[in-house]
Amino acid sequence: MSNENFIWGVATAAHQIEGAWLEGGKGLNTWDVFSHTPGKIANGDTSAVACDHYHRYEEDIELMAQLGVKGYRFSIAWSRILPQGKGAVNEEGIAFYNKLIDGLLAKGITPFITLYHWDLPATLQFENDGWLSYETAEYFAEYADVCFKAFGDRVKHWMTFNENWCSAVLGHGIGCFAPGRVSRTEPYIAAHNLCLAHGLTVQKFRQGDWGVIGIANNCDFREPLTDKPEDKAAAQEALEFFYGWLTDPVVFGEYPAIMVERLGDRLPKFTPEQKEMLKGSCDFLGLNHYTTHFASREKPTANLVGGDEGNGGIDEDQQVFLSRDPDWLQTSNGWFVVPWGIRKMLNWVYERYNQLPIYVTENGCCVADNDEKSAISDGFRADFIRGYTEAVVQAREEDGVDVRGYFGWTLMDNFEWAKGYEMRFGMIFCNFDTLERTPKESYYAYQEIIRNR
Ligand code: BGC
């Protein structure tokens, strides 16, 4: 495949970089509330200022231009556009994203917008129970429509959601993410409404002429621990419980059969009309990918990862054990560095979803280091990027997977959700006291990859 329709980019998310939490007419969102709740975020950090990108976006665009990326994936903060999540539009919010979009285009950088990266307007949580209610899906589609009409003349690449797995499992199952719910059934209800919100939104999108739309779901790869049929089945099912759960509905209009079988009444059902609406509702698929594990049906005798009960999704609903190769390198937050995993993952997605085009919408690694001098010598991250981008190119050029782009996570160190500012994923060091940005070794490594490709 030629390089013509392949784009190198970087990704960020509004809530992780913007700050200005009480400025520009923005309403509060669930992460504002969560991050100001004592005990929820490491070191008592809050997202109030983050990287102050709201005021420093021009400098950040310049840093991207110097890096040489041709694409930038960012998210819109719903509560900047609609402070209450519904009703009145905040023109200051529209103006901010207009300046950002125009600034990117002036530098030849194509904007890729994610409409939702976890920052639900707080009003919708308090009044509607957030994603546990179908009404939130309807409000989301209305918000999305405001964005299409405001930005769709210049933005032609859209994603409805970022990582619905995290919203469902971390937000409603484990409770370590906003809104902090702990339940065995709510993840499935939240996921159901998120899928329906995608469908309702795409219906509106297709009434206009605003380009292409997809979804950015995440998945770690699951490699069978052995060649035994039961381990192959365990790996396949684990992928279906992870990526398939949130992606099958928006491509096929159905949940994976294994989930229907295992979960019984705990898995909500789509009506025939909803199935029709959801089927074929993605023009492309986004893949956020960070790590790989071995999967097996029986508990492995060594190198177990996660709990004794099995792991890999909503733990007890999967009969899968995860393990690792002791030689794999590990990032600061314990994720394994396995570049071949992304190549296999891309092949899996491509095959399962009937050869829809794919973008790697996130991939990166965390190196915790608050000392600027040592942090900018991030050879570990530079190697990570070299390894993973090479594997993506192999998937494209050798395996024929129609992967159209790679967005490194992330442009600069930012508010890493429940881990606060400690877990740094950036190619640019952000000093959170002075807000000064300093490119790291990985920034220059990525710049060279882009130049050579
Ligand atoms: C999310 C990002 C996050 C990154 C690293 C992804 O799950 O989309 O917001 O910062 O992983 O944890």
Side-chain angles (χ1 to χ4, degrees):
M1 276 190 207
S2 80
N3 289 331
E4 265 163 41
N5 64 348
F6 189 88
I7 195 158
W8 293 104
V10 279
T12 65
H15 198 76
Q16 294 181 272
I17 63 168
E18 283 182 10
W21 75 308
L22 299 174
E23 286 178 62
K26 173 180 161 292
L28 290 183
N29 64 52
T30 49
W31 270 95
D32 289 321
V33 177
F34 200 69
S35 90
H36 284 84
T37 306
K40 294 296 188 191
I41 312 293
N43 307 313
D45 290 342
T46 80
S47 47
V49 177
C51 307
D52 196 32
H53 170 77
Y54 186 76
H55 297 113
R56 293 163 198 257
Y57 68 93
E58 284 170 311
E59 180 184 351
D60 295 336
I61 294 173
E62 188 52 42
L63 284 162
M64 281 185 254
Q66 295 301 322
L67 175 59
V69 289
K70 290 282 175 273
Y72 175 45
R73 170 176 179 248
F74 62 96
S75 77
I76 292 187
W78 184 347
S79 68
R80 259 192 211 293
I81 304 293
L82 298 166
Q84 306 297 316
K86 55 189 169 186
V89 173
N90 171 37
E91 292 303 331
E92 269 186 87
I94 303 269
F96 169 68
Y97 294 108
N98 270 333
K99 286 186 289 185
L100 176 63
I101 291 164
D102 293 341
L104 290 165
L105 291 171
K107 294 281 180 188
I109 301 171
T110 303
F112 282 65
I113 288 185
T114 310
L115 288 160
Y116 184 83
H117 200 126
W118 308 346
D119 43 358
L120 181 74
T123 311
L124 296 183
Q125 187 66 43
F126 297 141
E127 291 182 0
N128 288 77
D129 266 349
W131 291 112
L132 297 178
S133 137
Y134 175 72
E135 262 183 38
T136 303
E138 295 178 315
Y139 288 131
F140 178 79
E142 285 168 26
Y143 146 69
D145 200 42
V146 172
C147 294
F148 301 147
K149 289 178 175 147
F151 313 122
D153 56 334
R154 288 150 293 154
V155 177
K156 299 296 171 193
H157 296 84
W158 297 84
M159 279 149 280
T160 50
F161 289 98
N162 179 72
E163 303 193 358
N164 281 345
W165 186 92
C166 293
S167 301
V169 177
L170 306 183
H172 295 81
I174 299 168
C176 58
F177 276 17
R181 310 272 314 169
V182 180
S183 163
R184 283 194 69 213
T185 46
E186 287 183 5
Y188 297 113
I189 300 168
H192 196 70
N193 288 319
L194 285 158
C195 289
L196 289 170
H198 170 94
L200 293 171
T201 301
V202 174
Q203 272 187 335
K204 290 200 187 280
F205 183 80
R206 291 191 173 155
Q207 287 163 20
D209 183 16
W210 299 309
V212 289
I213 193 159
I215 194 165
N217 276 323
N218 57 314
C219 201
D220 302 341
F221 189 64
R222 302 311 187 209
E223 173 77 0
L225 179 62
T226 70
D227 278 343
K228 287 188 211 152
E230 56 269 34
D231 287 347
K232 287 186 178 164
Q236 173 65 17
E237 288 167 19
L239 291 168
E240 292 180 21
F241 261 86
F242 204 150
Y243 198 78
W245 171 23
L246 291 321
T247 310
D248 279 23
V250 295
V251 176
F252 306 131
E254 317 254 9
Y255 288 114
I258 185 71
M259 295 189 71
V260 177
E261 183 188 309
R262 287 264 169 82
L263 295 166
D265 288 344
R266 281 197 300 138
L267 191 69
K269 292 181 179 50
F270 297 116
T271 65
E273 295 76 38
Q274 289 171 337
K275 287 185 186 180
E276 270 318 298
M277 169 182 81
L278 289 168
K279 220 185 273 175
S281 64
C282 285
D283 299 321
F284 66 88
L285 293 174
L287 171 69
N288 292 5
H289 174 84
Y290 287 91
T291 193
T292 287
H293 297 103
F294 291 124
S296 57
R297 191 60 91 207
E298 298 296 324
K299 189 168 161 183
T301 48
N303 304 314
L304 186 70
V305 173
D308 264 357
E309 307 301 321
N311 202 314
I314 300 184
D315 298 3
E316 63 272 32
D317 292 329
Q318 292 186 60
Q319 295 150 17
V320 176
F321 288 93
L322 301 182
S323 56
R324 67 184 173 115
D325 181 330
D327 289 337
W328 287 343
L329 295 178
Q330 253 179 300
T331 67
S332 300
N333 61 345
W335 294 350
F336 303 106
V337 182
V338 191
W340 53 257
I342 199 170
R343 179 175 179 179
K344 293 197 177 195
M345 189 73 229
L346 284 166
N347 275 278
W348 187 88
V349 171
Y350 195 53
E351 216 169 284
R352 182 171 184 85
Y353 298 103
N354 302 332
Q355 314 201 330
L356 274 175
I358 307 171
Y359 288 91
V360 175
T361 34
E362 279 181 34
N363 170 247
C365 77
C366 157
V367 182
D369 188 347
N370 289 329
D371 178 73
E372 179 169 340
K373 275 215 181 79
S374 55
I376 60 171
S377 301
D378 62 341
F380 184 91
R381 181 179 288 102
D383 286 344
F384 180 101
I385 297 173
R386 286 188 200 102
Y388 273 81
T389 52
E390 180 65 29
V392 170
V393 169
Q394 285 166 345
R396 182 178 155 85
E397 292 179 359
E398 292 171 34
D399 309 338
V401 176
D402 185 8
V403 48
R404 304 240 172 127
Y406 174 92
F407 292 80
W409 185 268
T410 179
L411 177 66
M412 60 192 155
D413 300 331
N414 57 42
F415 177 72
E416 177 51 28
W417 308 109
K419 304 278 187 217
Y421 295 102
E422 209 168 69
M423 292 293 156
R424 293 174 177 269
F425 277 81
M427 297 181 207
I428 295 171
F429 184 85
C430 186
N431 178 321
F432 292 108
D433 296 321
T434 63
L435 297 167
E436 203 181 322
R437 283 102 158 108
T438 312
K440 303 179 188 176
E441 192 181 319
S442 57
Y443 174 97
Y444 297 108
Y446 191 39
Q447 190 178 55
E448 197 176 309
I449 291 168
I450 297 172
R451 205 181 290 137
N452 294 340
R453 295 250 174 220

